[in-house]
Amino acid sequence: MAEKFDCLVIGSGPGGYAASIRCAQRGASVAVIEKEFIGGTCLNCGCIPSKALLASVHTLLLTKHAVLMGVDVSLATPNWPKIQTRKDTIVTAFRKGLTGLIQSHNIKMVQGRAVVTAPNKIRIETDNSPTEIQADNIILATGSEPIQIPAIPFDGRTVISSKEALALEQIPESMVIVGGGAIGCELACVYAAAGTKVTIVEALSRLIPMEDEWVGRLIEREFKTLDIDALTSRKVDSVDTTAGMAKVVLEDGQAINAEKALVSVGRRPVVDKETIEALNLEMSGTAIKVNEKMQTNVPGVYAIGDAVGTTFLAHGAFAEAEVAAVNATGGDEKMADYSLIPRAVYTFPEIASVGKTEQACKNEGLDVSVGKSFFKANGRSVAHNETVGQIRVVKDNSTNKIIGVTMVGAMATELIAAARLLLGRTEEIIDISFPHPTVSEVLKEAAEDAFALSLHNPPKA
Ligand SMILES: Cc1cc2nc3c(=O)[nH]c(=O)nc-3n(C[C@H](O)[C@H](O)[C@H](O)COP(=O)(O)OP(=O)(O)OC[C@H]3O[C@@H](n4cnc5c(N)ncnc54)[C@H](O)[C@@H]3O)c2cc1C
């Protein structure tokens, strides 16, 4: 007799593990099936390893600026094997922690590939013979994979994806990064800071094209200080790897030779073909189609995270997991406005935004005021020699409420959580006390400026 659960979750990334824990907390019997490593892309080849590498090279950059802080240090150099080992140790520790957490909730964790064969039936392919599990509800959290450009196929050695880029055994002398989005720009920072000559090729007119134009321009300017070349409005035509190097040829004929070509042009949802066919799942391109309750077209089957192609963010997957888990266990919840999910890029300097961008407001024809504040005018930022960047706060003049915040600067990815809490607020923000001196005052100042109430900005014309 097949083992039976109230809820079965396929995939143990941020979406899958969060959904399984929430289902268990709500009293359901739960199993989670994982074909590779617990923690999914985020823990094993995404958020965590990339931030570990960024933190190491950031320390290196800090030592380079130490003399400006009045500290004499001898020349600092990256010890790449140690940096990689540190990253792997962090990942392994979190895998162990997550395994313990799942067990502590009495969730059954099964290693194997899950294939849904009927609305309540799941086949699990393991090293041994396949087993069958039954479940009243299924949550698909199968994640995504890097998009491959047909003219530049991955070979895993010279033409690589972010997965291999996070685990290179040596610092390459040179790297061409195809794609100037979040992942491409973060990895550009890792390798440029470590000493690689990095060139980014971006088809659109600026880096980080999903954010407002000033963000991309500012980042491009700052990347020059890391000796990163950004070729925008340029497309790659082909890559020749026959000489053991990557000869990246652009559409205008320019050729760039590099030790590695990292293709980072986005990710696409991954869903098992057999599962799609067995359930007759309705798809939207390669993504599973869901409604705001994260329900698919099949009753009792939910889908979340990268597999539904909404945010491609770990915390987006968390939010969807919460909704799916509540609905799969008898509740009734809907996904809130997706624009309220903060966006964060951990470049040097960092980028973060939440709510509406200025461009989105313009497209919608909204009457807005934009408050600004600059890190170079902030006492703590100057003390830390982190003076690059600014924060912009967008206020809807028809409601007098804050509707968007975009920031570039040190600790922006931390400050954005506070910015999220400012959304929907009015002039009352001037009554909220922020500690002095802190970097967070840049946020308060920009918010006050949106109401023409800034203490430290000159009066608006
Ligand atoms: C380099 C990089 C950096 C990133 N940095 C950030 C960041 O800083 N912040 C952020 O929010 N996001 C970041 N992301 C994105 C983030 O990793 C993803 O959005 C997140 O992991 C999606 O979670 P998920 O649960 O939907 O899918 P995944 O994390 O991809 O997990 C899916 C899991 O399902 C398993 N699976 C698939 N099919 C089956 C099957 N048939 N049977 C069993 N198991 C299966 C897979 O093995 C995988 O473990 C980054 C991504 C990359 C690549």
Side-chain angles (χ1 to χ4, degrees):
M1 224 347 232
E3 212 173 350
K4 191 167 182 293
F5 294 86
D6 296 328
C7 300
L8 181 127
V9 183
I10 304 181
S12 71
Y17 85 73
S20 68
I21 291 173
R22 191 59 92 234
C23 288
Q25 283 171 333
R26 290 173 59 82
S29 60
V30 188
V32 57
I33 322 296
E34 172 55 59
K35 69 179 163 79
E36 283 183 58
F37 296 107
I38 189 165
T41 303
C42 177
L43 174 54
N44 298 287
C45 50
C47 326
I48 303 302
S50 58
K51 270 77 242 179
L53 294 183
L54 280 160
S56 286
V57 296
H58 188 243
T59 306
L60 182 66
L61 290 180
L62 287 180
T63 61
K64 287 186 175 164
H65 296 156
V67 69
L68 287 171
M69 310 289 284
V71 179
D72 293 333
V73 289
S74 52
L75 186 68
T77 50
N79 182 327
W80 193 249
K82 276 194 181 164
I83 289 175
Q84 282 289 345
T85 304
R86 174 180 181 272
K87 176 210 73 182
D88 293 340
T89 307
I90 291 170
V91 170
T92 308
F94 274 112
R95 272 187 205 152
K96 210 172 150 197
L98 199 48
T99 305
L101 184 66
I102 297 264
Q103 283 166 351
S104 75
H105 284 281
N106 281 327
I107 295 165
K108 179 161 180 154
M109 176 95 207
V110 184
Q111 187 73 36
R113 174 173 167 260
V115 180
V116 185
T117 52
N120 302 102
K121 284 196 185 132
I122 304 97
R123 187 179 75 238
I124 301 171
E125 295 167 358
T126 58
D127 290 343
N128 307 319
S129 53
T131 50
E132 197 182 87
I133 284 186
Q134 290 189 8
D136 291 336
N137 296 279
I138 297 173
I139 300 178
L140 302 168
T142 48
S144 63
E145 65 186 7
I147 292 175
Q148 178 160 252
I149 303 177
I152 328 170
F154 295 121
D155 64 18
R157 290 181 313 279
T158 311
V159 181
I160 57 175
S161 72
S162 59
K163 188 173 181 181
E164 292 85 35
L166 289 168
L168 292 181
E169 283 175 10
Q170 286 166 353
I171 301 169
E173 263 180 33
S174 49
M175 181 183 280
V176 170
I177 299 181
V178 184
I183 295 174
C185 284
E186 286 185 8
L187 287 165
C189 287
V190 167
Y191 283 102
T196 303
K197 175 63 206 164
V198 174
T199 306
I200 303 175
V201 182
E202 167 56 52
L204 296 176
S205 62
R206 59 179 190 273
L207 300 180
I208 311 292
M210 61 286 192
E211 296 297 346
D212 279 329
E213 188 170 351
W214 67 271
V215 173
R217 300 274 168 243
L218 204 161
I219 286 298
E220 217 171 297
R221 193 188 73 206
E222 286 309 308
F223 274 14
K224 287 203 174 89
T225 66
L226 288 168
D227 198 25
I228 297 172
D229 289 336
L231 307 180
T232 51
S233 303
R234 309 283 287 281
K235 277 192 184 161
V236 172
D237 178 62
S238 60
V239 175
D240 179 359
T241 55
T242 44
M245 296 271 290
K247 182 179 173 191
V248 181
V249 183
L250 309 191
E251 276 185 357
D252 58 14
Q254 184 184 345
I256 311 160
N257 290 305
E259 201 177 320
K260 302 280 177 197
L262 161 62
V263 180
S264 175
V265 292
R267 297 180 64 85
R268 52 177 221 136
V270 173
V271 193
D272 212 90
K273 216 172 150 214
E274 262 187 270
T275 297
I276 298 174
E277 282 167 9
L279 289 175
N280 207 6
L281 266 186
E282 203 178 326
M283 305 293 288
S284 171
T286 57
I288 305 171
K289 209 167 168 187
V290 285
N291 61 17
E292 55 196 355
K293 294 184 174 184
M294 309 315 295
Q295 291 165 322
T296 67
N297 61 313
V298 185
V301 179
Y302 301 79
I304 55 174
D306 284 8
V308 298
T310 44
T311 67
F312 290 100
L313 290 169
H315 49 287
F318 285 147
E320 292 170 344
E322 165 81 25
V323 171
V326 168
N327 292 332
T329 50
D332 184 14
E333 213 171 292
K334 287 181 183 166
M335 265 308 282
D337 179 356
Y338 274 98
S339 82
L340 302 182
I341 294 175
R343 307 165 286 273
V345 187
Y346 299 72
T347 38
F348 308 141
E350 295 181 353
I351 305 160
S353 65
V354 67
K356 287 191 197 295
T357 59
E358 287 172 65
Q359 188 60 50
C361 294
K362 206 170 164 188
N363 296 346
E364 290 176 35
L366 296 179
D367 171 23
V368 297
S369 295
V370 179
K372 292 181 196 171
S373 185
F374 297 84
F375 286 77
K376 66 182 176 198
N378 174 269
R380 186 90 192 274
S381 303
V382 174
H384 281 257
N385 189 34
E386 302 268 22
T387 54
V388 169
Q390 55 176 281
I391 298 183
R392 294 193 186 184
V393 171
V394 183
K395 174 179 69 97
D396 184 340
N397 289 333
S398 66
T399 59
N400 225 25
K401 285 183 178 168
I402 294 174
I403 56 168
V405 180
T406 297
M407 49 178 89
V408 177
M411 308 307 279
T413 59
E414 292 293 334
L415 285 180
I416 202 65
R420 165 67 188 88
L421 299 175
L422 291 184
L423 294 187
R425 289 183 182 257
T426 61
E427 287 101 324
E428 66 194 302
I429 50 111
I430 57 170
D431 298 327
I432 304 171
S433 191
F434 280 50
H436 174 78
T438 60
V439 181
S440 67
E441 288 172 295
V442 188
L443 174 60
K444 187 179 187 200
E445 198 77 39
E448 288 175 343
D449 192 49
F451 296 94
L453 287 169
S454 158
L455 279 183
H456 300 95
N457 277 348
K460 282 184 186 288

